[in-house]
Amino acid sequence: MAAVPDTDETPLPADSPRSDTEIESLAEFDAVTAHRGLAGYRVQSVDLTARTPVLLATDTASAVFLGCAMEPDAAAKVRADGALVFPPVPHLPFDPYRGTLYSPAELFEGLASGYEHTPDALSYAWFQRTKADGDVFSSMLRSIHDDAISDALDELLLGARVVGVMGGHAMARGTSEYQGAAVLGRTLARAGFTVATGGGPGAMEAANLGAYAAPFDDAMLDSALQLLGAEPSFRPSVSAWARAAFEVRTKWPRGGTSVGIPTWFYGHEPPNAFAGAIAKYFANATREDGLLARSNAGVVFLPGAAGTVQEIFDNATPNYYESRGTPTPMVLVDRAHWTEELPTWPLLRALAKDRPMAARIALVDSVAEAPAALARMSAEG
């Protein structure tokens, strides 16, 4: 069985957007305190237990420490300076104050003992226990966590051209549809786009896999698809399904990166291991809107069911009202699916009539046509 590798993807094509008052690693903490005090800084989820002498000697007035472990004397001193200290919350399977997105290795740590022992599964179990108990502390922790994830996602994607790829979780590995979605992800990544998906199985995994395969020759994706086909679905075993993905990552390390934006609201669907940066939320509404809002270069909608239909109209609404500025391209793939099985296209076209968004929607027969449709609409816009 393949080990769970560390994150090793090619970095996203983004600038360094983090606020200059945010400190999210020990290296950043050391760099700042070597030259100045911490007054006004926000230190986010950094273990400072080995930095007590520095904290005792540094001005921390008006600083904010979010989930930073400190020795008691250091914590007392920074509070006396006037800093706000939000201590780490014990016995949680997640860090509500985290400064970065998740990696596949982090969420699947412990997979060798079974998926149920991983932080991802344990966080879902915690969510299931606390979501209906009315405990304001638990709901506050979920909100803090999701806000931290949004902050990290914005930092990561600033300057990137993001194309969302939406589609159902039921698309099985080993099918022509899965292969087509993977080729789409690879094509978009090679064209310089950052691929963003809902971060789950099926079409979402396929698109993230394609972006991961982008730096390799075409034969790599063919071989990876064959390997993954031995475990076509996360049912009945998430563990076996995830291990196959990590086997691909181990065999072909340092792949291209992409973004997955899943949710513990649908915790029965595990995240996929091919999205190098994973923005996992507790609140599905925040996740849905955030995924579409950040797809600034357009969205491709592969065949799906209720969730994908919802995403189409979640995306159509701001395009209709131009509430986010110029409408972004929307490409629906599979004419029969979107005009006969789930006739979404006629309604979308009717909404767009005589509005600027009319030039930014397209219906294509096959996934191979989607990149050209995106490019055409972008050029026209």
Side-chain angles (χ1 to χ4, degrees):
M1 183 195 73
V4 178
D6 293 331
T7 301
D8 53 12
E9 290 85 354
T10 304
L12 286 171
D15 300 326
S16 180
R18 183 182 301 136
S19 165
D20 59 7
T21 62
E22 291 183 17
I23 296 175
E24 298 173 355
S25 70
L26 200 56
E28 290 177 354
F29 177 88
D30 290 341
V32 169
T33 55
H35 302 287
R36 63 182 72 87
L38 291 169
Y41 276 83
R42 281 78 175 101
V43 190
Q44 197 169 346
S45 193
V46 180
D47 186 345
L48 299 176
T49 52
R51 295 296 185 272
T52 298
V54 176
L55 290 169
L56 293 176
T58 300
D59 178 16
T60 59
S62 70
V64 178
F65 294 86
L66 298 167
C68 298
M70 285 183 268
E71 296 293 347
D73 53 343
K77 182 267 180 186
V78 300
R79 285 192 177 97
D81 280 351
L84 288 176
V85 179
F86 295 79
V89 182
H91 312 305
L92 283 180
F94 63 94
D95 178 3
Y97 302 110
R98 60 180 303 115
T100 60
L101 300 183
Y102 294 98
S103 70
E106 183 178 4
L107 285 177
F108 285 99
E109 183 182 1
L111 181 63
S113 300
Y115 172 70
E116 64 274 14
H117 299 289
T118 66
D120 185 66
L122 294 173
S123 295
Y124 176 55
W126 178 89
F127 179 44
Q128 288 292 93
R129 289 194 306 271
T130 62
K131 69 179 181 180
D133 63 7
D135 180 9
V136 66
F137 184 56
S138 295
S139 62
M140 183 189 72
L141 291 173
R142 293 194 294 269
S143 296
I144 291 172
H145 170 274
D146 285 1
D147 189 69
I149 289 294
S150 291
D151 180 65
L153 187 58
D154 286 338
E155 291 173 354
L156 184 72
L157 292 180
L158 186 68
R161 295 186 300 155
V162 182
V163 172
V165 178
M166 311 298 161
H169 69 266
M171 184 184 288
R173 295 168 173 173
T175 63
S176 59
E177 291 81 9
Y178 186 96
Q179 180 183 20
V183 171
L184 171 66
R186 184 178 66 184
T187 301
L188 293 171
R190 287 178 175 175
F193 294 108
T194 295
V195 174
T197 78
M204 298 170 279
E205 180 189 55
N208 290 128
L209 167 64
Y212 186 86
F216 302 99
D217 61 31
D218 289 357
M220 175 270 175
L221 181 56
D222 294 335
S223 298
L225 289 168
Q226 185 174 6
L227 192 157
L228 291 170
E231 297 291 343
S233 174
F234 63 95
R235 296 188 177 100
S237 173
V238 174
S239 298
W241 174 84
R243 286 167 186 156
F246 281 107
E247 186 175 348
V248 169
R249 290 176 57 96
T250 299
K251 189 170 184 179
W252 293 280
R254 295 178 295 280
T257 198
S258 60
V259 176
I261 308 180
T263 173
W264 279 295
F265 183 81
Y266 297 132
H268 58 285
E269 296 179 15
N272 77 73
F274 294 112
I278 302 175
K280 192 151 192 179
Y281 287 88
F282 288 105
N284 185 51
T286 305
R287 167 253 192 175
E288 290 274 10
D289 184 69
L291 171 55
L292 294 166
R294 291 174 175 86
S295 297
N296 55 17
V299 183
V300 178
F301 296 93
L302 301 175
T308 310
V309 172
Q310 176 181 325
E311 288 163 346
I312 289 172
F313 291 104
D314 281 348
N315 197 50
T317 300
N319 278 350
Y320 180 89
Y321 290 111
E322 299 181 66
S323 56
R324 295 178 185 147
T326 302
T328 52
M330 300 175 64
V331 181
L332 277 61
V333 175
D334 192 329
R335 189 176 304 272
H337 184 82
W338 294 120
T339 61
E340 299 172 16
E341 296 177 41
L342 294 173
T344 303
W345 173 253
L347 179 53
L348 181 64
R349 186 173 57 180
L351 280 172
K353 185 179 179 181
D354 299 327
R355 303 186 75 87
M357 72 175 284
R360 313 306 293 277
I361 63 172
L363 175 66
V364 298
D365 291 307
S366 70
V367 70
E369 301 172 76
L374 271 177
R376 182 182 68 253
M377 288 187 287
S378 296
E380 291 172 355

